[in-house]
Amino acid sequence: MAGMDITVVDHPLAASRLTIMRDKRTANSMFRAALSDLATMLIYEASRGLSVENFDCETPVGLARGARLATPPIIVPIIRAGLGMIDPALSMIPDAQVGFIGLARNEVTHEPVPYLEALPDDLAGQPVFVVDPMLATGGSLIHALDLLAERGADDITCICVVSAQGGVDKLAAHSPQVRLVTATIDPELNSDAYIVPGLGDAGDRLYGPRNINV
């Protein structure tokens, strides 16, 4: 794992929202609300290193040194579960652009199956935040990183709620230059490639069960 910058957001409020998301009794609406809160915290932490430009800001009683993002990141959710992280990301960074990568999961091979790609042609020098609630095997995230690299992306932060140790290791081996911000790193995957203890299928818990044949 040497070389990859990993931040685990260890905070009581993050832990409380993560617990709500893990609880199998949590309804879709509560799950969405908890994800929104937790994604906001993760985006906040992921933005810590973004470059800023300073300017004079006039207050009601004088001048203050103001700051704004020099280059707002482009937010790239991995559909479908990543859609649940767009609104909190845009609430924190309202001038960010949004790209999309659509990947379905083959339930037999557990491999990602791409079906949508909407990204700028040139991402060189552009901060990119890839958002996806789950980093399990690492297959979907690595596929997304390869697409971004083809467009010159050289400043990528992956933001995931729950990460599996095996997926983190695979990501670190493939793309040691990226950053990972997550709320937890869980120890393992089960035979169906779901994170244990994890929180189940994030897309189903956000939007209800789906029936996609891939």
Side-chain angles (χ1 to χ4, degrees), residues 5-22 31 34-46 85 130-135 157-165 168 179-187 195 197-199:
D5 182 359
I6 302 172
T7 299
V8 178
V9 178
D10 181 14
H11 190 283
L13 296 182
S16 69
R17 299 313 191 276
L18 176 60
T19 300
I20 293 170
M21 294 179 67
R22 287 195 191 275
F31 188 93
L35 175 59
S36 179
D37 288 347
L38 184 48
T40 298
M41 300 177 207
L42 297 177
I43 293 289
Y44 175 88
E45 187 59 40
M85 300 176 73
V130 181
V131 297
D132 190 358
M134 311 295 285
L135 168 55
T157 300
C158 302
I159 304 171
C160 304
V161 172
V162 177
S163 303
Q165 185 63 63
V168 173
R179 292 176 295 278
L180 173 65
V181 177
T182 186
T184 187
I185 299 178
D186 283 359
I195 301 174
L199 49 76

Short mmCIF file of all heavy atoms in Angstrom, two decimals, residues 5-22 31 34-46 85 130-135 157-165 168 179-187 195 197-199:
data_model
loop_
_atom_site.label_atom_id
_atom_site.label_comp_id
_atom_site.label_asym_id
_atom_site.label_seq_id
_atom_site.Cartn_x
_atom_site.Cartn_y
_atom_site.Cartn_z
N ASP A 5 -2.08 7.68 -0.64
CA ASP A 5 -2.51 8.53 0.47
C ASP A 5 -3.91 8.11 0.88
O ASP A 5 -4.86 8.27 0.11
CB ASP A 5 -2.47 9.99 0.01
CG ASP A 5 -2.86 10.97 1.12
OD1 ASP A 5 -3.17 10.52 2.23
OD2 ASP A 5 -2.85 12.18 0.85
N ILE A 6 -4.04 7.56 2.08
CA ILE A 6 -5.33 7.05 2.58
C ILE A 6 -5.73 7.85 3.81
O ILE A 6 -4.95 7.96 4.77
CB ILE A 6 -5.26 5.56 2.93
CG1 ILE A 6 -4.84 4.74 1.70
CG2 ILE A 6 -6.61 5.07 3.46
CD1 ILE A 6 -4.57 3.28 2.03
N THR A 7 -6.93 8.40 3.79
CA THR A 7 -7.49 9.09 4.95
C THR A 7 -8.75 8.38 5.39
O THR A 7 -9.70 8.25 4.62
CB THR A 7 -7.82 10.56 4.62
OG1 THR A 7 -6.63 11.25 4.23
CG2 THR A 7 -8.43 11.27 5.82
N VAL A 8 -8.75 7.89 6.63
CA VAL A 8 -9.96 7.33 7.23
C VAL A 8 -10.53 8.38 8.17
O VAL A 8 -9.87 8.79 9.13
CB VAL A 8 -9.65 6.02 8.01
CG1 VAL A 8 -10.92 5.49 8.66
CG2 VAL A 8 -9.05 4.98 7.07
N VAL A 9 -11.72 8.86 7.87
CA VAL A 9 -12.34 9.93 8.65
C VAL A 9 -12.89 9.36 9.94
O VAL A 9 -13.96 8.74 9.97
CB VAL A 9 -13.44 10.64 7.83
CG1 VAL A 9 -14.10 11.72 8.68
CG2 VAL A 9 -12.84 11.25 6.56
N ASP A 10 -12.14 9.53 11.00
CA ASP A 10 -12.47 8.99 12.32
C ASP A 10 -13.08 10.11 13.16
O ASP A 10 -12.37 10.89 13.79
CB ASP A 10 -11.21 8.43 12.98
CG ASP A 10 -11.48 7.81 14.34
OD1 ASP A 10 -12.66 7.58 14.66
OD2 ASP A 10 -10.51 7.60 15.10
N HIS A 11 -14.41 10.20 13.14
CA HIS A 11 -15.10 11.30 13.81
C HIS A 11 -16.42 10.76 14.37
O HIS A 11 -17.08 9.94 13.72
CB HIS A 11 -15.37 12.42 12.81
CG HIS A 11 -15.87 13.69 13.43
ND1 HIS A 11 -17.17 13.84 13.86
CD2 HIS A 11 -15.24 14.86 13.68
CE1 HIS A 11 -17.32 15.06 14.35
NE2 HIS A 11 -16.16 15.69 14.27
N PRO A 12 -16.83 11.19 15.56
CA PRO A 12 -18.07 10.66 16.14
C PRO A 12 -19.29 10.84 15.25
O PRO A 12 -20.14 9.94 15.18
CB PRO A 12 -18.21 11.46 17.44
CG PRO A 12 -16.83 11.87 17.80
CD PRO A 12 -16.12 12.09 16.50
N LEU A 13 -19.41 11.98 14.56
CA LEU A 13 -20.58 12.18 13.71
C LEU A 13 -20.54 11.28 12.48
O LEU A 13 -21.57 10.77 12.04
CB LEU A 13 -20.67 13.65 13.29
CG LEU A 13 -20.89 14.65 14.43
CD1 LEU A 13 -21.02 16.07 13.86
CD2 LEU A 13 -22.12 14.29 15.24
N ALA A 14 -19.33 11.08 11.94
CA ALA A 14 -19.20 10.16 10.81
C ALA A 14 -19.55 8.74 11.25
O ALA A 14 -20.25 8.00 10.54
CB ALA A 14 -17.78 10.22 10.26
N ALA A 15 -19.08 8.34 12.43
CA ALA A 15 -19.36 6.99 12.92
C ALA A 15 -20.85 6.78 13.16
O ALA A 15 -21.39 5.69 12.89
CB ALA A 15 -18.58 6.76 14.22
N SER A 16 -21.55 7.81 13.64
CA SER A 16 -22.99 7.66 13.89
C SER A 16 -23.76 7.49 12.60
O SER A 16 -24.68 6.67 12.51
CB SER A 16 -23.52 8.85 14.68
OG SER A 16 -23.53 10.03 13.90
N ARG A 17 -23.40 8.25 11.55
CA ARG A 17 -24.08 8.10 10.26
C ARG A 17 -23.76 6.76 9.62
O ARG A 17 -24.62 6.12 9.02
CB ARG A 17 -23.70 9.24 9.31
CG ARG A 17 -24.05 10.64 9.77
CD ARG A 17 -25.46 10.76 10.30
NE ARG A 17 -25.85 12.14 10.50
CZ ARG A 17 -25.57 12.87 11.58
NH1 ARG A 17 -24.87 12.34 12.58
NH2 ARG A 17 -25.98 14.12 11.67
N LEU A 18 -22.51 6.33 9.76
CA LEU A 18 -22.13 5.02 9.22
C LEU A 18 -22.91 3.91 9.90
O LEU A 18 -23.35 2.95 9.25
CB LEU A 18 -20.62 4.81 9.40
CG LEU A 18 -20.07 3.45 8.96
CD1 LEU A 18 -20.33 3.20 7.48
CD2 LEU A 18 -18.58 3.35 9.27
N THR A 19 -23.13 4.03 11.20
CA THR A 19 -23.91 3.02 11.92
C THR A 19 -25.33 2.94 11.39
O THR A 19 -25.88 1.84 11.23
CB THR A 19 -23.91 3.33 13.43
OG1 THR A 19 -22.57 3.34 13.90
CG2 THR A 19 -24.73 2.31 14.20
N ILE A 20 -25.94 4.09 11.14
CA ILE A 20 -27.29 4.10 10.55
C ILE A 20 -27.29 3.37 9.21
O ILE A 20 -28.20 2.58 8.91
CB ILE A 20 -27.80 5.54 10.39
CG1 ILE A 20 -28.02 6.19 11.77
CG2 ILE A 20 -29.09 5.59 9.57
CD1 ILE A 20 -28.28 7.68 11.71
N MET A 21 -26.28 3.62 8.40
CA MET A 21 -26.21 2.98 7.08
C MET A 21 -25.97 1.48 7.19
O MET A 21 -26.48 0.71 6.38
CB MET A 21 -25.12 3.65 6.25
CG MET A 21 -25.41 5.10 5.90
SD MET A 21 -24.08 5.86 4.94
CE MET A 21 -24.21 4.93 3.40
N ARG A 22 -25.21 1.07 8.19
CA ARG A 22 -24.94 -0.37 8.35
C ARG A 22 -26.19 -1.13 8.83
O ARG A 22 -26.39 -2.29 8.46
CB ARG A 22 -23.83 -0.57 9.37
CG ARG A 22 -22.42 -0.21 8.91
CD ARG A 22 -21.45 -0.81 9.89
NE ARG A 22 -20.06 -0.39 9.80
CZ ARG A 22 -19.15 -0.92 8.99
NH1 ARG A 22 -19.51 -1.85 8.10
NH2 ARG A 22 -17.89 -0.52 9.03
N PHE A 31 -31.58 5.86 5.08
CA PHE A 31 -30.27 5.52 4.50
C PHE A 31 -29.79 6.67 3.62
O PHE A 31 -28.62 7.07 3.69
CB PHE A 31 -30.40 4.23 3.69
CG PHE A 31 -29.09 3.68 3.19
CD1 PHE A 31 -28.40 2.73 3.93
CD2 PHE A 31 -28.55 4.09 1.98
CE1 PHE A 31 -27.19 2.21 3.48
CE2 PHE A 31 -27.34 3.60 1.51
CZ PHE A 31 -26.66 2.64 2.26
N ALA A 34 -28.65 9.56 5.83
CA ALA A 34 -27.37 9.30 6.48
C ALA A 34 -26.22 9.38 5.48
O ALA A 34 -25.14 9.92 5.79
CB ALA A 34 -27.39 7.93 7.15
N LEU A 35 -26.44 8.87 4.28
CA LEU A 35 -25.40 8.96 3.24
C LEU A 35 -25.12 10.41 2.89
O LEU A 35 -23.97 10.81 2.71
CB LEU A 35 -25.82 8.18 2.00
CG LEU A 35 -24.85 8.31 0.80
CD1 LEU A 35 -23.45 7.84 1.16
CD2 LEU A 35 -25.38 7.55 -0.41
N SER A 36 -26.17 11.22 2.78
CA SER A 36 -25.98 12.63 2.46
C SER A 36 -25.11 13.31 3.50
O SER A 36 -24.17 14.05 3.18
CB SER A 36 -27.34 13.33 2.35
OG SER A 36 -27.17 14.70 2.05
N ASP A 37 -25.41 13.06 4.78
CA ASP A 37 -24.62 13.66 5.86
C ASP A 37 -23.17 13.17 5.82
O ASP A 37 -22.23 13.97 5.93
CB ASP A 37 -25.23 13.31 7.22
CG ASP A 37 -26.52 14.05 7.49
OD1 ASP A 37 -26.84 15.01 6.75
OD2 ASP A 37 -27.23 13.67 8.45
N LEU A 38 -22.99 11.86 5.69
CA LEU A 38 -21.65 11.31 5.73
C LEU A 38 -20.84 11.71 4.50
O LEU A 38 -19.65 12.03 4.60
CB LEU A 38 -21.73 9.78 5.86
CG LEU A 38 -20.41 9.02 6.01
CD1 LEU A 38 -19.51 9.65 7.07
CD2 LEU A 38 -20.67 7.56 6.31
N ALA A 39 -21.49 11.74 3.34
CA ALA A 39 -20.79 12.18 2.13
C ALA A 39 -20.32 13.62 2.26
O ALA A 39 -19.23 13.98 1.80
CB ALA A 39 -21.69 12.02 0.91
N THR A 40 -21.13 14.46 2.90
CA THR A 40 -20.73 15.85 3.13
C THR A 40 -19.44 15.91 3.95
O THR A 40 -18.51 16.67 3.65
CB THR A 40 -21.85 16.62 3.86
OG1 THR A 40 -23.02 16.63 3.04
CG2 THR A 40 -21.43 18.05 4.14
N MET A 41 -19.36 15.07 5.00
CA MET A 41 -18.16 15.05 5.83
C MET A 41 -16.94 14.56 5.04
O MET A 41 -15.83 15.09 5.17
CB MET A 41 -18.38 14.15 7.04
CG MET A 41 -19.52 14.58 7.94
SD MET A 41 -19.76 13.39 9.31
CE MET A 41 -21.51 13.65 9.65
N LEU A 42 -17.14 13.55 4.20
CA LEU A 42 -16.03 13.01 3.41
C LEU A 42 -15.56 14.01 2.36
O LEU A 42 -14.35 14.16 2.13
CB LEU A 42 -16.45 11.69 2.75
CG LEU A 42 -16.80 10.54 3.69
CD1 LEU A 42 -17.27 9.33 2.90
CD2 LEU A 42 -15.63 10.16 4.58
N ILE A 43 -16.51 14.68 1.70
CA ILE A 43 -16.15 15.71 0.72
C ILE A 43 -15.38 16.84 1.40
O ILE A 43 -14.39 17.37 0.87
CB ILE A 43 -17.41 16.26 0.03
CG1 ILE A 43 -18.07 15.18 -0.84
CG2 ILE A 43 -17.09 17.51 -0.79
CD1 ILE A 43 -17.29 14.83 -2.09
N TYR A 44 -15.83 17.24 2.58
CA TYR A 44 -15.14 18.27 3.36
C TYR A 44 -13.68 17.89 3.57
O TYR A 44 -12.77 18.69 3.34
CB TYR A 44 -15.87 18.46 4.69
CG TYR A 44 -15.22 19.41 5.66
CD1 TYR A 44 -15.49 20.77 5.64
CD2 TYR A 44 -14.32 18.94 6.62
CE1 TYR A 44 -14.89 21.64 6.53
CE2 TYR A 44 -13.73 19.79 7.52
CZ TYR A 44 -14.00 21.14 7.48
OH TYR A 44 -13.40 21.98 8.37
N GLU A 45 -13.45 16.64 4.00
CA GLU A 45 -12.08 16.20 4.26
C GLU A 45 -11.28 16.07 2.97
O GLU A 45 -10.10 16.44 2.92
CB GLU A 45 -12.10 14.86 5.01
CG GLU A 45 -10.74 14.40 5.48
CD GLU A 45 -10.05 15.39 6.40
OE1 GLU A 45 -10.74 15.98 7.26
OE2 GLU A 45 -8.82 15.57 6.26
N ALA A 46 -11.91 15.56 1.93
CA ALA A 46 -11.21 15.40 0.65
C ALA A 46 -10.79 16.73 0.05
O ALA A 46 -9.81 16.80 -0.70
CB ALA A 46 -12.11 14.64 -0.33
N MET A 85 -24.31 10.56 -3.72
CA MET A 85 -23.28 11.44 -3.18
C MET A 85 -23.14 12.74 -3.96
O MET A 85 -22.35 13.61 -3.57
CB MET A 85 -21.95 10.70 -3.13
CG MET A 85 -21.99 9.45 -2.27
SD MET A 85 -20.46 8.48 -2.27
CE MET A 85 -19.38 9.50 -1.28
N VAL A 130 -13.81 11.14 -7.51
CA VAL A 130 -14.62 9.99 -7.89
C VAL A 130 -15.39 9.54 -6.64
O VAL A 130 -14.77 9.25 -5.61
CB VAL A 130 -13.76 8.83 -8.42
CG1 VAL A 130 -14.64 7.65 -8.83
CG2 VAL A 130 -12.92 9.30 -9.60
N VAL A 131 -16.71 9.51 -6.73
CA VAL A 131 -17.52 9.18 -5.55
C VAL A 131 -18.31 7.89 -5.78
O VAL A 131 -18.95 7.71 -6.81
CB VAL A 131 -18.47 10.34 -5.17
CG1 VAL A 131 -17.66 11.57 -4.77
CG2 VAL A 131 -19.43 10.71 -6.28
N ASP A 132 -18.21 6.99 -4.81
CA ASP A 132 -18.93 5.72 -4.85
C ASP A 132 -19.00 5.22 -3.41
O ASP A 132 -17.97 5.16 -2.73
CB ASP A 132 -18.17 4.71 -5.71
CG ASP A 132 -18.98 3.44 -5.99
OD1 ASP A 132 -20.12 3.34 -5.49
OD2 ASP A 132 -18.47 2.57 -6.72
N PRO A 133 -20.19 4.91 -2.90
CA PRO A 133 -20.28 4.50 -1.50
C PRO A 133 -19.42 3.29 -1.14
O PRO A 133 -18.95 3.18 -0.02
CB PRO A 133 -21.77 4.19 -1.31
CG PRO A 133 -22.46 5.03 -2.33
CD PRO A 133 -21.53 5.05 -3.51
N MET A 134 -19.21 2.37 -2.10
CA MET A 134 -18.55 1.10 -1.77
C MET A 134 -17.28 0.90 -2.60
O MET A 134 -17.29 1.05 -3.82
CB MET A 134 -19.49 -0.07 -2.04
CG MET A 134 -20.88 0.08 -1.45
SD MET A 134 -20.89 0.11 0.34
CE MET A 134 -20.61 -1.60 0.70
N LEU A 135 -16.20 0.53 -1.92
CA LEU A 135 -14.99 0.03 -2.57
C LEU A 135 -14.84 -1.42 -2.11
O LEU A 135 -14.36 -1.68 -1.01
CB LEU A 135 -13.78 0.87 -2.18
CG LEU A 135 -12.39 0.31 -2.53
CD1 LEU A 135 -12.27 -0.01 -4.00
CD2 LEU A 135 -11.31 1.29 -2.10
N THR A 157 -8.98 11.99 -6.48
CA THR A 157 -9.30 11.56 -5.12
C THR A 157 -10.53 10.65 -5.19
O THR A 157 -11.55 11.04 -5.75
CB THR A 157 -9.59 12.77 -4.21
OG1 THR A 157 -8.45 13.62 -4.17
CG2 THR A 157 -9.92 12.30 -2.79
N CYS A 158 -10.42 9.46 -4.63
CA CYS A 158 -11.55 8.53 -4.55
C CYS A 158 -12.20 8.68 -3.18
O CYS A 158 -11.50 8.64 -2.16
CB CYS A 158 -11.08 7.09 -4.75
SG CYS A 158 -10.22 6.80 -6.31
N ILE A 159 -13.52 8.86 -3.18
CA ILE A 159 -14.25 9.10 -1.93
C ILE A 159 -15.28 7.99 -1.79
O ILE A 159 -16.23 7.91 -2.58
CB ILE A 159 -14.90 10.49 -1.94
CG1 ILE A 159 -13.84 11.56 -2.18
CG2 ILE A 159 -15.65 10.73 -0.63
CD1 ILE A 159 -14.41 12.95 -2.43
N CYS A 160 -15.08 7.13 -0.78
CA CYS A 160 -15.94 5.97 -0.58
C CYS A 160 -16.37 5.93 0.89
O CYS A 160 -15.58 6.27 1.78
CB CYS A 160 -15.22 4.67 -0.93
SG CYS A 160 -14.56 4.62 -2.63
N VAL A 161 -17.58 5.49 1.14
CA VAL A 161 -18.05 5.38 2.52
C VAL A 161 -17.41 4.17 3.19
O VAL A 161 -16.78 4.28 4.25
CB VAL A 161 -19.59 5.28 2.56
CG1 VAL A 161 -20.07 4.95 3.97
CG2 VAL A 161 -20.22 6.58 2.08
N VAL A 162 -17.57 2.99 2.60
CA VAL A 162 -17.03 1.76 3.15
C VAL A 162 -16.07 1.14 2.15
O VAL A 162 -16.41 0.97 0.97
CB VAL A 162 -18.15 0.75 3.49
CG1 VAL A 162 -17.55 -0.56 3.99
CG2 VAL A 162 -19.10 1.33 4.53
N SER A 163 -14.88 0.81 2.61
CA SER A 163 -13.87 0.18 1.76
C SER A 163 -13.47 -1.16 2.34
O SER A 163 -13.35 -1.30 3.57
CB SER A 163 -12.63 1.08 1.65
OG SER A 163 -12.96 2.36 1.15
N ALA A 164 -13.26 -2.14 1.48
CA ALA A 164 -12.76 -3.44 1.92
C ALA A 164 -11.24 -3.45 1.80
O ALA A 164 -10.68 -2.88 0.85
CB ALA A 164 -13.36 -4.55 1.07
N GLN A 165 -10.58 -4.10 2.74
CA GLN A 165 -9.12 -4.10 2.74
C GLN A 165 -8.55 -4.63 1.42
O GLN A 165 -7.59 -4.07 0.87
CB GLN A 165 -8.59 -4.94 3.91
CG GLN A 165 -7.07 -4.88 4.06
CD GLN A 165 -6.58 -3.49 4.38
OE1 GLN A 165 -6.91 -2.95 5.43
NE2 GLN A 165 -5.78 -2.90 3.50
N VAL A 168 -8.84 -1.98 -1.22
CA VAL A 168 -7.86 -0.92 -0.98
C VAL A 168 -6.48 -1.36 -1.46
O VAL A 168 -5.76 -0.60 -2.13
CB VAL A 168 -7.82 -0.55 0.52
CG1 VAL A 168 -6.69 0.43 0.80
CG2 VAL A 168 -9.15 0.05 0.95
N ARG A 179 -5.56 9.42 -4.24
CA ARG A 179 -5.87 9.53 -2.82
C ARG A 179 -7.19 8.81 -2.55
O ARG A 179 -8.08 8.79 -3.40
CB ARG A 179 -5.99 11.00 -2.41
CG ARG A 179 -4.68 11.75 -2.45
CD ARG A 179 -4.85 13.21 -2.13
NE ARG A 179 -5.66 13.90 -3.13
CZ ARG A 179 -5.19 14.35 -4.28
NH1 ARG A 179 -3.91 14.19 -4.58
NH2 ARG A 179 -5.98 14.98 -5.13
N LEU A 180 -7.31 8.27 -1.36
CA LEU A 180 -8.55 7.61 -0.93
C LEU A 180 -9.01 8.25 0.37
O LEU A 180 -8.24 8.32 1.33
CB LEU A 180 -8.34 6.11 -0.73
CG LEU A 180 -9.52 5.34 -0.12
CD1 LEU A 180 -10.72 5.35 -1.06
CD2 LEU A 180 -9.11 3.90 0.22
N VAL A 181 -10.26 8.69 0.38
CA VAL A 181 -10.89 9.19 1.60
C VAL A 181 -12.09 8.28 1.88
O VAL A 181 -12.95 8.10 1.00
CB VAL A 181 -11.35 10.65 1.45
CG1 VAL A 181 -12.07 11.12 2.72
CG2 VAL A 181 -10.15 11.55 1.16
N THR A 182 -12.14 7.70 3.07
CA THR A 182 -13.19 6.73 3.39
C THR A 182 -13.57 6.86 4.86
O THR A 182 -12.82 7.42 5.66
CB THR A 182 -12.72 5.29 3.06
OG1 THR A 182 -13.79 4.38 3.25
CG2 THR A 182 -11.54 4.88 3.91
N ALA A 183 -14.75 6.35 5.20
CA ALA A 183 -15.18 6.38 6.59
C ALA A 183 -14.72 5.16 7.37
O ALA A 183 -14.66 5.20 8.60
CB ALA A 183 -16.71 6.49 6.67
N THR A 184 -14.41 4.08 6.66
CA THR A 184 -13.95 2.86 7.34
C THR A 184 -13.31 1.93 6.33
O THR A 184 -13.60 1.98 5.13
CB THR A 184 -15.12 2.14 8.04
OG1 THR A 184 -14.62 1.06 8.82
CG2 THR A 184 -16.13 1.61 7.04
N ILE A 185 -12.43 1.07 6.81
CA ILE A 185 -11.88 -0.02 6.01
C ILE A 185 -12.26 -1.32 6.69
O ILE A 185 -11.79 -1.63 7.79
CB ILE A 185 -10.35 0.09 5.85
CG1 ILE A 185 -9.99 1.40 5.13
CG2 ILE A 185 -9.82 -1.11 5.06
CD1 ILE A 185 -8.49 1.62 4.96
N ASP A 186 -13.16 -2.08 6.07
CA ASP A 186 -13.64 -3.34 6.60
C ASP A 186 -12.71 -4.47 6.18
O ASP A 186 -12.01 -4.37 5.16
CB ASP A 186 -15.06 -3.62 6.12
CG ASP A 186 -16.11 -2.80 6.89
OD1 ASP A 186 -15.71 -2.04 7.80
OD2 ASP A 186 -17.31 -2.91 6.57
N PRO A 187 -12.70 -5.57 6.93
CA PRO A 187 -11.63 -6.57 6.74
C PRO A 187 -11.74 -7.47 5.53
O PRO A 187 -10.71 -7.94 5.02
CB PRO A 187 -11.70 -7.41 8.03
CG PRO A 187 -13.10 -7.23 8.53
CD PRO A 187 -13.50 -5.84 8.15
N ILE A 195 -18.94 -6.55 0.87
CA ILE A 195 -18.08 -6.20 1.99
C ILE A 195 -18.68 -6.71 3.30
O ILE A 195 -19.87 -6.60 3.52
CB ILE A 195 -17.89 -4.67 2.05
CG1 ILE A 195 -17.28 -4.14 0.74
CG2 ILE A 195 -17.01 -4.28 3.23
CD1 ILE A 195 -17.21 -2.63 0.67
N PRO A 197 -18.13 -6.37 7.54
CA PRO A 197 -19.59 -6.37 7.73
C PRO A 197 -20.34 -5.47 6.75
O PRO A 197 -21.51 -5.69 6.50
CB PRO A 197 -19.76 -5.89 9.16
CG PRO A 197 -18.56 -5.05 9.42
CD PRO A 197 -17.43 -5.68 8.65
N GLY A 198 -19.70 -4.44 6.22
CA GLY A 198 -20.30 -3.64 5.15
C GLY A 198 -21.64 -3.05 5.51
O GLY A 198 -21.94 -2.76 6.67
N LEU A 199 -22.47 -2.88 4.48
CA LEU A 199 -23.83 -2.34 4.67
C LEU A 199 -24.80 -2.87 3.64
O LEU A 199 -25.88 -2.31 3.44
CB LEU A 199 -23.80 -0.81 4.67
CG LEU A 199 -23.05 -0.07 3.55
CD1 LEU A 199 -23.80 -0.05 2.23
CD2 LEU A 199 -22.71 1.35 3.98
#
